[in-house]
Amino acid sequence: MGKNKLKKFAEMETFPNVFQCSAHSFTPNDPHGEADRSTEGRLEMVNEMCGHWREKFFHNDHPIVLELGCGRGEYTVGLAEKYPEKNFIGVDIKGARMWAGAKQAVEAGLTNAAFLRTNIEFITRFFAPNEVDEIWITFCDPQMKKATKRLTSTYFMQRYHQIVKPNGIIHLKTDSPFLYTYTMEMLRLNPYPVLAHTDDLYACEQYPDAQCLKTHYEKQWLDRGMKIKYIAWQLSPMPHFEEPTIEIEKDSYRSYGRNYQAL
């Protein structure tokens, strides 16, 4: 690991707005992380926040919004600045990237922005039922090879239902035609109320919250002439989950930060 990353990790330990669990804190044979004694203190601290984020960190009763796969935390910080009446938490496992947003929030004195470093599949360990009001998924890897890794799959939707309040809203911004098509099919099958959808976000003016912020990678994709896709949907009671099985054409380009080339 490079010295720069080690420096960032060390600095994040001093940030009051960062809650960390290492990438290996949870394993199939050790789901609660007891085997890694170096993380026990962090795990205990983060687990104590479950159900108490408002009172123990934010010290208010405002709505909680998550940014899943937050990367540099640009949406977490940007929305926190734009909406001081809401609380925002960026979630990702990549600590070196998260450092940028966490540091920016500290330097800006934002008291309504926090960061949780963990695997998103374990999200239900850190938030209580109905504790979350809204979720943003911004430019996640489309995971074209394995459906259960897609952040809009029924695998993850089941987890969102456990922490998001009834009728809570989920937003997806993506450059991936594959993920956009897959998500629309998932919403059709299950079905969820779709509040907004477009395969060319910046060609319309109906969705200001999705247009007001551009991430680092989003700007690069736009510079390449690519269209940004956006979907917003509402959680509703689900009797069962049906995973899409249709054939979807894979993305034919390499996106920034992804380590494969679709065929």
Side-chain angles (χ1 to χ4, degrees):
M1 183 180 294
K3 291 183 179 180
N4 192 41
K5 280 190 176 182
L6 291 174
K7 183 179 178 180
K8 289 179 178 179
F9 291 150
E11 187 174 9
M12 283 216 303
E13 291 287 350
T14 70
F15 290 164
N17 62 348
V18 175
F19 299 84
Q20 296 194 76
C21 295
S22 68
H24 56 281
S25 294
F26 302 111
T27 66
N29 296 325
D30 183 29
H32 299 288
E34 287 88 355
D36 182 10
R37 295 196 174 275
S38 67
T39 66
E40 281 185 355
R42 294 200 300 273
L43 285 167
E44 182 179 355
M45 176 178 65
V46 179
N47 285 332
E48 286 179 357
M49 299 302 292
C50 181
H52 304 285
W53 284 93
R54 290 179 178 88
E55 62 189 82
K56 290 190 175 182
F57 179 79
F58 294 113
H59 307 295
N60 60 49
D61 60 356
H62 298 167
I64 290 179
V65 182
L66 305 185
E67 182 192 4
L68 300 183
C70 69
R72 299 174 180 223
E74 292 146 301
Y75 252 77
T76 299
V77 173
L79 290 176
E81 291 176 329
K82 186 176 177 64
Y83 299 105
E85 71 280 7
K86 294 183 179 182
N87 302 318
F88 296 87
I89 304 174
V91 184
D92 208 314
I93 194 59
K94 300 290 186 180
R97 296 177 186 173
M98 181 182 289
W99 168 87
K103 186 176 181 68
Q104 183 180 351
V106 169
E107 292 177 343
L110 292 175
T111 59
N112 64 328
F115 292 85
L116 171 62
R117 184 184 172 215
T118 190
N119 303 77
I120 296 173
E121 63 193 287
F122 300 119
I123 196 72
T124 57
R125 299 184 185 276
F126 306 113
F127 297 95
N130 301 329
E131 188 170 17
V132 175
D133 294 78
E134 198 170 345
I135 288 176
W136 280 85
I137 302 170
T138 52
F139 299 97
C140 61
D141 190 318
Q143 298 288 351
M144 291 184 284
K145 293 182 179 180
K146 192 170 183 179
T148 56
K149 290 188 175 183
R150 296 171 201 150
L151 292 186
T152 59
S153 68
T154 57
Y155 176 85
F156 279 99
M157 291 302 298
Q158 292 177 61
R159 283 152 178 75
Y160 305 154
H161 273 275
Q162 294 179 55
I163 63 173
V164 178
K165 70 177 185 179
N167 300 317
I169 298 174
I170 299 180
H171 307 262
L172 170 70
K173 282 184 76 175
T174 182
D175 61 292
S176 169
F178 176 91
L179 186 61
Y180 177 78
T181 301
Y182 166 84
T183 303
M184 288 298 294
E185 177 66 7
M186 185 279 295
L187 296 172
R188 184 190 70 80
L189 283 176
N190 283 286
Y192 287 101
V194 176
L195 306 179
H197 70 93
T198 175
D199 63 358
D200 191 357
L201 176 62
Y202 295 101
C204 58
E205 298 180 356
Q206 299 106 298
Y207 313 122
D209 282 354
Q211 296 169 321
C212 67
L213 298 170
K214 293 185 179 74
T215 70
H216 171 76
Y217 291 120
E218 181 178 3
K219 292 175 183 176
Q220 293 183 339
W221 288 318
L222 288 169
D223 287 343
R224 291 168 69 179
M226 297 174 62
K227 295 179 180 179
I228 304 303
K229 291 85 174 142
Y230 171 67
I231 312 173
W233 65 97
Q234 193 173 43
L235 288 186
S236 55
M238 296 296 303
H240 68 281
F241 292 90
E242 184 176 350
E243 183 65 22
T245 58
I246 63 169
E247 290 291 328
I248 303 174
E249 183 179 357
K250 292 184 177 180
D251 298 338
S252 59
Y253 63 95
R254 182 186 295 274
S255 291
Y256 295 99
R258 299 188 192 138
N259 59 2
Y260 61 82
Q261 174 70 50
L263 299 177

